[in-house]
Amino acid sequence: MRIERILSKLDTGLGATTLSPSVKSLTLTLSQRTRAPGARHFWRENLRRIQYANPNLPIEVVYPREPCMPKLEIKFSNSAVDSFSISGMRSDEICRKLLEKAT
């Protein structure tokens, strides 16, 4: 019963989408000392759904001690990199922007 509930949360909701095959990897950079509630919520909720929907996609979370601006980096198979700041954004805004660029 509990596993079914967990799996249903991973299968539905924002982020439960298969990304384009041209996406090679995702990197989320989030400082331990920076306040970024939207980025932290995206990490806990949406990024798990994205990882579940794309099991072969490498997803890295960089968590440096020194303060830095939170950002999300998308690497594509043609060596292009799309990086954008997620500072001040809500988790749903971050997820929508990622899906816009990576689907």
Side-chain angles (χ1 to χ4, degrees):
M1 183 75 160
R2 185 174 185 194
I3 291 174
E4 291 171 0
R5 228 178 340 171
I6 292 169
L7 289 176
S8 75
K9 285 183 180 182
L10 289 173
D11 280 336
T12 59
L14 193 57
T17 306
T18 303
L19 300 179
S20 167
S22 66
V23 177
K24 188 176 177 183
S25 68
L26 295 176
T27 304
L28 174 66
T29 303
L30 181 65
S31 175
Q32 293 179 11
R33 298 180 182 196
T34 304
R35 284 186 167 184
R40 293 182 194 284
H41 188 267
F42 171 77
W43 180 20
R44 285 191 305 268
E45 296 295 323
N46 304 108
L47 201 58
R48 291 180 183 179
R49 290 184 185 120
I50 292 168
Q51 190 168 21
Y52 185 77
N54 303 277
N56 295 325
L57 179 68
I59 298 176
E60 180 182 10
V61 177
V62 179
Y63 204 56
R65 282 181 138 352
E66 58 277 346
C68 66
M69 295 299 283
K71 68 177 181 177
L72 187 60
E73 184 177 274
I74 309 165
K75 292 182 184 172
F76 295 94
S77 57
N78 64 356
S79 300
V81 177
D82 191 353
S83 181
F84 58 94
S85 173
I86 56 175
S87 180
M89 295 174 73
R90 294 189 330 256
S91 62
D92 61 330
E93 293 172 334
I94 297 167
C95 195
R96 284 191 180 96
K97 190 166 184 176
L98 169 64
L99 295 176
E100 174 185 302
K101 293 175 180 277
T103 52

